[in-house]
């Protein structure tokens, strides 16, 4: 991100000064920069990536469990015979064992672990695609909020100009007091909408910073903006592409195959297993007499469980039920993908139609507002015409902005639902992710840190609370007095005949 001086217009500058944000410089951030930063720094993505390490460890464990093993043992025995003499001896042995036949159980367990690793890798890749979509949405949300602030600021400025004009006309005796009051109320309402829009913009920026995992107080200048990019793929082609490319469907398929391997592993307990073993042993007798001996043993062990009271059959039934569940999950996920893709596609086309129809509405609303304002200045129009025209203009502009960014968001949603993968540049950003972990001791200190209470904090808080309560009471009295004065002026104007029904 580059550092440049950044101006957001008078409204945004005033708002930044109001809440105390730095306005001298901010970070230029394009949409692609935001995606790359999130792919390289997002904490949630790092957590998901750890599942790959777990799957690798599970595969390693499966291979070791079915490989060569060397064990050692040592024993110390004392035996009391009927002849009242005892025998004490010490034995040491080392045995190497290797399973040469397990009725397919070893192969099934290793194959299941390999599928688990593939599923974990695909899950991480799918999480990257979902993160990309989240960043795109957050970026466009912030852009929409920023343009909404501009519209609300322009509305406030127009109402301010209108209020000034009405006040001057009232002072000249050509307008009634009620017009001044009404224009003041509309100005206040417009200011409320501006405050809400400014807050929404800051909230959206905070959401974007969280995805990027950057300094939460860093000002951002979003340099990318909406550009209409026509989507020419029909819906059936999108669904077909999704069925062939969605990584979560492939994950479901791997889980189904894992369940099949679990059935094979469970059925293997019905068959025999053969294990080769060999190793030396040493024994030493030190009571009643001293003697030593050593042996080398080698052989093969055949194990076959003829009767286990139905335990193996129950395990097979459990594995078959899990296999059936995995198959149904695959079918359900296909149905959900079909539905979500259709919804996103229809919403995208609806936003596209709104985008094409709201452009003319803005021009017509601008012309209507100009006519209403000039008629009012000439003494031929009504206050209501001004208010209606301004409201229609603001609505038309906000509808146009909403249609633009709705189209951009839904288009990105359609592409995500299709399973379109990352670009080459984004894959390079993924490669930059480092597994820098915070030491456990540091995390524990941060979590368990006791809050520091400033000295005389309670007394200061009580004083400030009382001061705020007094200010609030004074404001209420002032508002009541102002309302009383305004009511008196209106009653006076009614008595003088200046306000008509």
């Amino acid at each position: 991100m580059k550092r440049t001086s950044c101006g957001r217009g008078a409204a945004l500058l005033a708002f930044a000064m109001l809440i105390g944000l730095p306005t001298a410089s901010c970070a230029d951030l394009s949409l692609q920069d935001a995606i790359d930063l999130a792919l390289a720094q997002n904490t949630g993505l790092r957590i998901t990536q750890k599942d790959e390490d777990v799957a690798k460890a599970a595969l390693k464990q499966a291979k070791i469990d079915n490989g060569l093993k060397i064990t050692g043992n040592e024993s110390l025995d004392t035996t009391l015979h009927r002849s009242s003499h005892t025998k004490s001896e010490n034995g040491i042995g080392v045995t190497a064992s290797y399973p040469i036949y397990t009725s397919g159980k070893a192969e099934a367990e290793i194959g299941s672990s390999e599928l688990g690793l593939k599923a974990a890798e695909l899950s991480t890749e799918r999480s990257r695609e979902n993160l990309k979509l989240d960043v795109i949405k957050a970026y466009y949300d912030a852009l929409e909020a920023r343009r909404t602030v501009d519209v609300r600021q322009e509305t406030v400025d127009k109402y301010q100009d209108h209020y000034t004009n009405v006040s001057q006309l009232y002072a000249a005796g050509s307008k009634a007091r009620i017009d001044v009051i009404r224009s003041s109320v509309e100005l206040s309402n417009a200011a409320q909408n501006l405050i809400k829009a400014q807050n929404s913009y800051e909230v959206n920026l905070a959401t974007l910073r969280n995805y990027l995992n950057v300094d939460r107080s860093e000002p951002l200048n979003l340099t990318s903006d909406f550009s209409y990019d026509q989507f020419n793929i029909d819906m059936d082609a999108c669904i077909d592409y999704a069925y062939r490319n969605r990584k979560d469907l492939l994950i479901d398929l791997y889980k189904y195959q894992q369940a099949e391997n679990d059935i094979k592993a469970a059925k293997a307990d019905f068959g025999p297993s053969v294990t080769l073993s060999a190793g030396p042993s040493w024994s030493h007798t030190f009571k009643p007499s001293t003697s030593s001996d050593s042996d080398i043993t080698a052989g093969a062990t055949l194990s076959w469980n003829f009767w286990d009271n139905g335990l193996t059959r129950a395990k097979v039934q459990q594995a078959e039920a899990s296999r059936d569940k995995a198959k149904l999950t695959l079918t359900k996920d296909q149905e959900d993908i079909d539905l979500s893709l259709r919804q996103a596609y229809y919403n995208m086309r609806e936003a596209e139609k709104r985008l094409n129809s709201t452009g003319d509405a803005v021009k017509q609303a601008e012309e209507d507002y100009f006519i209403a304002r000039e008629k009012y200045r000439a003494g031929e129009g009504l206050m209501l015409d001004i208010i209606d025209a301004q409201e229609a203009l603001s609505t038309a502009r906000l509808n146009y902005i909403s249609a633009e960014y709705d189209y951009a968001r839904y288009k990105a949603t359609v592409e995500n639902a299709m399973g379109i993968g990352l670009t080459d540049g984004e894959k390079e950003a993924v490669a930059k992710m480092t597994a820098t972990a915070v030491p456990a001791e540091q995390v524990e200190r941060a979590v368990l840190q006791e809050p520091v209470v400033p000295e005389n904090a309670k007394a200061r808080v009580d004083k400030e609370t009382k001061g705020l309560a007094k200010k609030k009471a004074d404001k209420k009295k002032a508002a009541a007095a102002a309302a009383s004065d305004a009511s008196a002026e209106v009653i006076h104007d009614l008595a003088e005949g200046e306000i008509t029904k």
Side-chain angles (χ1 to χ4, degrees):
M1 292 186 291
K2 300 182 294 183
R3 291 278 181 182
T4 62
S5 62
C6 149
R8 301 178 183 172
L12 293 178
L13 181 62
F15 180 68
M17 294 175 63
L18 176 65
I19 64 174
L21 291 178
T23 58
S25 65
C26 58
D28 283 350
L29 185 70
S30 67
L31 177 58
Q32 190 59 57
D33 290 339
I35 295 172
D36 293 344
L37 274 175
L39 292 173
Q41 301 181 167
N42 183 265
T43 305
L45 191 57
R46 294 187 179 188
I47 295 174
T48 304
Q49 201 169 11
K50 286 298 179 182
D51 289 337
E52 295 183 29
D53 298 334
V54 175
K56 290 177 182 177
L59 175 58
K60 186 176 181 181
Q61 178 181 345
K63 291 181 178 180
I64 292 175
D65 284 342
N66 295 281
L68 177 66
K69 297 179 182 177
I70 300 177
T71 58
N73 61 81
E74 181 178 3
S75 63
L76 178 62
D77 299 319
T78 299
T79 305
L80 177 63
H81 295 277
R82 288 185 178 182
S83 57
S84 299
H85 75 272
T86 61
K87 180 181 180 181
S88 299
E89 60 181 353
N90 173 240
I92 299 174
V94 177
T95 304
S97 61
Y98 183 81
I100 61 173
Y101 182 73
T102 60
S103 296
K105 184 173 184 178
E107 294 80 359
E109 290 178 345
I110 293 175
S112 181
S113 298
E114 290 174 344
L115 291 170
L117 177 57
K118 292 180 180 179
E121 292 172 347
L122 287 175
S123 179
T124 301
E125 187 65 23
R126 183 58 186 167
S127 297
R128 294 188 183 110
E129 294 173 1
N130 290 335
L131 177 61
K132 176 181 177 180
L133 176 62
D134 291 337
V135 171
I136 291 174
K137 287 182 175 180
Y139 194 94
Y140 283 133
D141 286 345
L143 286 176
E144 181 179 0
R146 185 175 68 182
R147 290 182 60 183
T148 300
V149 168
D150 295 339
V151 172
R152 295 302 187 188
Q153 181 64 61
E154 183 181 3
T155 302
V156 169
D157 294 340
K158 287 184 176 180
Y159 274 126
Q160 180 63 56
D161 293 341
H162 181 66
Y163 174 76
T164 303
N165 181 43
V166 172
S167 298
Q168 294 173 351
L169 293 174
Y170 171 72
S174 59
K175 294 295 179 182
R177 174 67 178 172
I178 195 172
D179 284 2
V180 178
I181 297 174
R182 183 63 186 274
S183 62
S184 176
V185 171
E186 295 299 328
L187 175 60
S188 176
N189 292 338
Q192 294 294 318
N193 290 332
L194 174 60
I195 293 171
K196 292 180 180 179
Q198 290 169 333
N199 179 70
S200 178
Y201 176 61
E202 293 301 326
V203 169
N204 289 324
L205 281 183
T207 302
L208 180 59
R209 293 189 193 98
N210 186 66
Y211 285 130
L212 306 184
N213 196 19
V214 296
D215 184 358
R216 300 311 194 259
S217 60
E218 180 178 9
L220 298 176
N221 177 36
L222 308 183
T223 58
S224 299
D225 205 348
F226 171 79
S227 61
Y228 177 69
D229 184 15
Q230 191 172 6
F231 192 85
N232 295 320
I233 307 175
D234 64 83
M235 185 165 58
D236 291 337
C238 291
I239 294 174
D240 180 66
Y241 185 93
Y243 283 162
R244 290 183 288 108
N245 292 275
R246 278 289 291 264
K247 296 173 180 61
D248 36 1
L249 288 183
L250 191 54
I251 291 172
D252 289 341
L253 180 60
Y254 285 155
K255 290 182 178 179
Y256 175 78
Q257 294 174 351
Q258 278 184 304
E260 291 280 6
N261 285 332
D262 291 341
I263 294 176
K264 293 179 182 179
K267 288 183 176 180
D269 289 339
F270 284 125
S273 62
V274 179
T275 303
L276 294 179
S277 60
S281 62
W282 299 268
S283 62
H284 177 70
T285 302
F286 50 88
K287 189 177 181 180
S289 61
T290 302
S291 63
S292 298
D293 193 11
S294 63
D295 301 302
I296 296 179
T297 304
T301 303
L302 172 65
S303 299
W304 199 332
N305 192 358
F306 293 106
W307 173 251
D308 60 1
N309 201 26
L311 178 62
T312 300
R313 187 171 299 279
K315 290 181 178 180
V316 172
Q317 292 174 349
Q318 181 183 12
E320 289 175 343
S322 299
R323 185 267 317 275
D324 296 340
K325 179 181 177 182
K327 185 177 181 180
L328 290 173
T329 301
L330 174 60
T331 303
K332 181 63 169 58
D333 286 346
Q334 288 175 336
E335 296 171 354
D336 291 343
I337 287 173
D338 181 274
L339 175 60
S340 62
L341 186 49
R342 290 179 187 274
Q343 290 174 335
Y345 195 92
Y346 286 135
N347 288 332
M348 179 187 66
R349 293 306 182 197
E350 178 258 349
E352 187 176 33
K353 293 176 182 177
R354 287 192 286 119
L355 180 61
N356 294 330
S357 64
T358 52
D360 293 337
V362 173
K363 296 178 181 178
Q364 294 171 359
E366 290 174 347
E367 183 179 357
D368 180 50
Y369 175 77
F370 176 78
I371 294 173
R373 183 187 62 184
E374 296 303 318
K375 285 179 65 177
Y376 186 83
R377 288 180 175 179
E380 299 178 0
L382 301 175
M383 169 68 70
L384 186 60
D385 295 336
I386 290 283
I387 295 173
D388 290 343
Q390 177 57 50
E391 184 66 25
L393 177 58
S394 298
T395 301
R397 287 178 173 169
L398 293 176
N399 286 341
Y400 183 73
I401 294 172
S402 176
E404 284 184 329
Y405 294 107
D406 280 349
Y407 176 78
R409 285 186 290 258
Y410 284 126
K411 179 176 176 291
T413 304
V414 169
E415 293 174 347
N416 175 267
M418 290 172 62
I420 296 178
L422 304 180
T423 64
D424 292 338
E426 290 163 354
K427 291 178 181 178
E428 293 178 2
V430 168
K432 297 178 182 178
M433 175 174 282
T434 56
T436 53
V438 180
E441 298 81 3
Q442 182 178 344
V443 174
E444 184 178 356
R445 286 196 301 270
V447 172
L448 301 179
Q449 184 178 7
E450 291 291 336
V452 180
V453 181
E455 215 175 307
N456 300 325
K458 188 175 185 306
R460 184 169 65 252
V461 170
D462 291 342
K463 182 179 180 182
E464 292 177 354
T465 303
K466 292 178 180 178
L468 289 173
K470 185 176 184 303
K471 289 181 181 179
K472 187 175 181 181
D474 294 341
K475 286 184 179 180
K476 284 186 177 180
K477 292 181 181 180
S484 177
D485 294 341
S487 300
E489 291 183 9
V490 173
I491 293 172
H492 178 269
D493 290 344
L494 284 171
E496 295 295 328
E498 293 186 8
I499 299 179
T500 62
K501 183 177 180 181

